[in-house]
Coordinates of all heavy atoms in Angstrom, one line a residue:
Chain C
G228 N 5.2 12.4 -10.6 CA 6.6 12.2 -10.6 C 7.1 11.0 -9.8 O 6.3 10.4 -9.1
A229 N 8.4 10.7 -9.8 CA 9.0 9.7 -9.0 C 10.3 10.1 -8.5 O 11.2 10.6 -9.3 CB 9.1 8.4 -9.9
M230 N 10.5 10.1 -7.2 CA 11.7 10.6 -6.6 C 12.2 9.5 -5.7 O 11.5 9.1 -4.8 CB 11.5 11.8 -5.8 CG 11.4 13.1 -6.5 SD 10.0 13.3 -7.6 CE 8.7 13.0 -6.5
F231 N 13.4 9.0 -5.8 CA 14.0 8.0 -4.9 C 15.3 8.5 -4.4 O 16.0 9.2 -5.0 CB 14.1 6.6 -5.7 CG 12.9 5.8 -5.6 CD1 11.8 5.9 -6.5 CD2 12.7 4.9 -4.6 CE1 10.7 5.2 -6.4 CE2 11.6 4.1 -4.4 CZ 10.6 4.3 -5.4
F232 N 15.5 8.0 -3.2 CA 16.7 8.3 -2.4 C 17.4 7.0 -1.8 O 16.7 6.2 -1.4 CB 16.4 9.3 -1.3 CG 15.7 10.5 -1.7 CD1 14.4 10.6 -1.9 CD2 16.4 11.7 -1.9 CE1 13.7 11.7 -2.4 CE2 15.8 12.9 -2.4 CZ 14.5 12.9 -2.6
V233 N 18.7 7.0 -1.8 CA 19.4 6.0 -1.1 C 19.9 6.6 0.2 O 20.6 7.5 0.3 CB 20.6 5.4 -1.9 CG1 21.4 4.5 -1.0 CG2 20.1 4.7 -3.1
L234 N 19.3 6.0 1.3 CA 19.7 6.4 2.7 C 20.7 5.3 3.2 O 20.4 4.1 3.1 CB 18.5 6.6 3.6 CG 17.4 7.5 3.1 CD1 16.4 7.6 4.2 CD2 17.9 8.9 2.8
E235 N 21.8 5.8 3.8 CA 22.7 4.9 4.4 C 23.2 5.3 5.8 O 23.1 6.5 6.1 CB 23.9 4.7 3.5 CG 23.6 3.9 2.2 CD 24.8 3.6 1.4 OE1 25.3 4.5 0.7 OE2 25.4 2.5 1.5
D236 N 23.8 4.4 6.5 CA 24.3 4.7 7.8 C 25.7 5.3 7.8 O 26.3 5.4 8.9 CB 24.1 3.5 8.7 CG 25.0 2.3 8.3 OD1 25.6 2.4 7.2 OD2 25.1 1.3 9.0
K237 N 26.2 5.5 6.6 CA 27.6 6.1 6.6 C 27.7 7.1 5.6 O 27.0 7.1 4.5 CB 28.6 4.9 6.3 CG 28.3 4.2 5.0 CD 29.4 3.1 4.9 CE 29.2 2.4 3.5 NZ 28.0 1.7 3.4
K238 N 28.7 8.1 5.8 CA 28.9 9.1 4.9 C 29.8 8.6 3.8 O 30.7 7.8 4.1 CB 29.6 10.3 5.7 CG 29.5 11.6 5.1 CD 30.2 12.7 5.9 CE 30.6 13.7 4.9 NZ 31.6 14.7 5.5
T239 N 29.5 9.0 2.6 CA 30.4 8.5 1.5 C 30.7 9.7 0.6 O 30.3 10.9 0.9 CB 29.6 7.5 0.6 OG1 28.5 8.1 0.0 CG2 29.1 6.3 1.4
A240 N 31.4 9.4 -0.5 CA 31.8 10.5 -1.4 C 30.6 11.1 -2.1 O 30.7 12.3 -2.6 CB 32.8 9.9 -2.5
T241 N 29.5 10.4 -2.2 CA 28.3 10.9 -2.9 C 27.3 11.6 -1.9 O 26.2 11.9 -2.3 CB 27.6 9.8 -3.7 OG1 27.2 8.8 -2.8 CG2 28.6 9.2 -4.7
T242 N 27.6 11.6 -0.6 CA 26.7 12.2 0.4 C 26.2 13.6 0.0 O 27.0 14.5 -0.2 CB 27.2 12.1 1.8 OG1 27.5 10.7 2.1 CG2 26.3 12.7 2.8
Y243 N 24.9 13.8 0.1 CA 24.3 15.1 -0.1 C 24.2 15.8 1.2 O 24.6 16.9 1.4 CB 22.9 15.0 -0.7 CG 22.8 14.7 -2.2 CD1 23.0 13.4 -2.6 CD2 22.5 15.7 -3.1 CE1 22.9 13.1 -4.0 CE2 22.4 15.4 -4.4 CZ 22.6 14.1 -4.9 OH 22.5 13.9 -6.2
A244 N 23.5 15.1 2.2 CA 23.3 15.7 3.5 C 22.9 14.6 4.5 O 22.7 13.5 4.1 CB 22.1 16.6 3.3
E245 N 22.9 15.0 5.7 CA 22.4 14.1 6.7 C 20.9 14.3 7.0 O 20.4 15.5 7.0 CB 23.1 14.3 8.1 CG 22.7 13.3 9.1 CD 23.3 13.6 10.5 OE1 24.3 14.4 10.6 OE2 22.8 13.0 11.5
L246 N 20.1 13.3 7.1 CA 18.7 13.4 7.4 C 18.6 13.4 8.9 O 18.9 12.4 9.6 CB 17.9 12.2 6.8 CG 16.4 12.2 7.1 CD1 15.7 13.4 6.5 CD2 15.8 10.9 6.6
I247 N 18.2 14.5 9.5 CA 18.2 14.6 10.9 C 16.9 14.1 11.5 O 17.0 13.3 12.5 CB 18.4 16.1 11.4 CG1 19.6 16.8 10.8 CG2 18.4 16.3 12.9 CD1 20.9 16.4 11.4
D248 N 15.8 14.5 11.0 CA 14.5 14.0 11.6 C 13.4 14.4 10.6 O 13.5 15.3 9.8 CB 14.3 14.7 13.0 CG 13.3 13.9 13.8 OD1 12.9 12.8 13.4 OD2 13.0 14.4 14.9
V249 N 12.3 13.6 10.8 CA 11.0 13.8 10.1 C 9.9 13.6 11.1 O 9.9 12.7 11.9 CB 10.9 12.8 9.0 CG1 9.7 13.1 8.1 CG2 12.2 12.6 8.1
S250 N 8.9 14.5 11.0 CA 7.7 14.3 11.8 C 6.4 14.6 11.1 O 6.5 15.5 10.2 CB 7.9 15.3 13.0 OG 7.0 14.9 14.0
I251 N 5.4 13.9 11.4 CA 4.1 14.1 10.6 C 3.0 14.3 11.6 O 3.0 13.8 12.7 CB 3.8 13.0 9.7 CG1 3.7 11.6 10.4 CG2 4.8 12.9 8.5 CD1 3.2 10.5 9.5
Y252 N 2.0 15.1 11.2 CA 0.8 15.4 12.0 C -0.4 15.3 11.1 O -0.5 16.1 10.1 CB 0.9 16.8 12.6 CG 2.3 17.1 13.2 CD1 3.3 17.6 12.4 CD2 2.6 16.8 14.5 CE1 4.6 17.8 12.9 CE2 3.9 17.0 15.0 CZ 4.8 17.5 14.2 OH 6.1 17.7 14.7
N253 N -1.4 14.6 11.5 CA -2.6 14.5 10.6 C -3.3 15.9 10.5 O -3.8 16.3 9.4 CB -3.6 13.4 11.1 CG -4.1 13.6 12.4 OD1 -3.4 14.1 13.3 ND2 -5.3 13.1 12.7
V254 N -3.5 16.5 11.6 CA -4.1 17.8 11.6 C -3.4 18.8 12.5 O -2.9 18.4 13.5 CB -5.6 17.8 12.0 CG1 -6.5 17.3 11.0 CG2 -5.8 17.0 13.3
L255 N -3.4 20.1 12.1 CA -2.8 21.1 12.9 C -3.6 22.4 12.7 O -3.9 22.7 11.6 CB -1.3 21.4 12.5 CG -0.2 20.6 13.0 CD1 1.1 21.2 12.6 CD2 -0.2 20.5 14.5
E256 N -4.0 23.0 13.8 CA -4.6 24.3 13.6 C -3.5 25.3 13.3 O -2.3 25.1 13.6 CB -5.3 24.7 14.9 CG -6.4 23.8 15.3 CD -7.5 23.6 14.3 OE1 -7.8 24.6 13.5 OE2 -8.0 22.5 14.1
K257 N -3.9 26.4 12.6 CA -2.8 27.4 12.3 C -2.1 27.9 13.5 O -0.9 28.1 13.5 CB -3.4 28.6 11.5 CG -3.8 28.2 10.1 CD -4.2 29.3 9.2 CE -4.4 28.9 7.8 NZ -5.6 29.5 7.2
D258 N -2.8 28.1 14.6 CA -2.1 28.7 15.8 C -1.3 27.6 16.5 O -0.6 28.0 17.5 CB -3.2 29.3 16.7 CG -4.2 28.4 17.2 OD1 -4.1 27.2 17.1 OD2 -5.3 28.9 17.7
E259 N -1.3 26.4 16.1 CA -0.5 25.4 16.7 C 0.9 25.2 16.0 O 1.8 24.6 16.5 CB -1.2 24.0 16.7 CG -2.4 23.9 17.6 CD -3.1 22.6 17.3 OE1 -3.3 22.2 16.2 OE2 -3.3 21.8 18.4
L260 N 0.9 25.7 14.8 CA 2.0 25.4 13.9 C 3.4 25.8 14.4 O 4.3 24.9 14.5 CB 1.8 26.1 12.5 CG 2.8 25.8 11.4 CD1 2.8 24.3 11.1 CD2 2.4 26.6 10.1
E261 N 3.5 27.0 14.9 CA 4.8 27.5 15.4 C 5.2 26.7 16.6 O 6.4 26.3 16.8 CB 4.8 29.0 15.7 CG 4.9 29.8 14.4 CD 5.2 31.2 14.6 OE1 5.4 31.7 15.8 OE2 5.3 32.0 13.7
T262 N 4.3 26.4 17.5 CA 4.6 25.6 18.7 C 5.2 24.2 18.3 O 6.1 23.8 18.8 CB 3.4 25.5 19.6 OG1 2.7 26.7 19.5 CG2 3.7 25.2 21.0
K263 N 4.4 23.6 17.4 CA 4.9 22.3 17.0 C 6.2 22.3 16.3 O 7.1 21.4 16.6 CB 3.9 21.7 15.9 CG 2.6 21.1 16.5 CD 2.9 19.7 17.2 CE 1.6 19.2 17.8 NZ 1.8 18.3 18.9
L264 N 6.5 23.3 15.5 CA 7.8 23.5 14.9 C 8.9 23.6 15.9 O 9.9 23.0 15.8 CB 7.8 24.7 13.9 CG 9.1 25.0 13.3 CD1 9.7 23.9 12.5 CD2 9.1 26.3 12.6
E265 N 8.6 24.5 16.9 CA 9.7 24.7 17.9 C 9.9 23.4 18.7 O 11.1 23.1 19.1 CB 9.2 25.9 18.8 CG 9.6 27.2 18.2 CD 8.9 28.4 18.8 OE1 8.4 28.3 19.9 OE2 8.9 29.5 18.1

Side-chain angles (χ1 to χ4, degrees):
Chain C
M230 280 67 54
F231 271 86
F232 302 83
V233 170
L234 304 185
E235 287 186 281
D236 63 354
K237 57 180 185 296
K238 205 180 151 193
T239 67
T241 62
T242 298
Y243 284 80
E245 182 185 348
L246 178 66
I247 305 284
D248 201 6
V249 187
S250 193
I251 60 175
Y252 316 87
N253 60 329
V254 282
L255 275 186
E256 298 305 324
K257 285 188 180 140
D258 58 16
E259 295 173 307
L260 183 60
E261 282 193 2
T262 322
K263 279 283 178 210
L264 172 65
E265 277 161 18

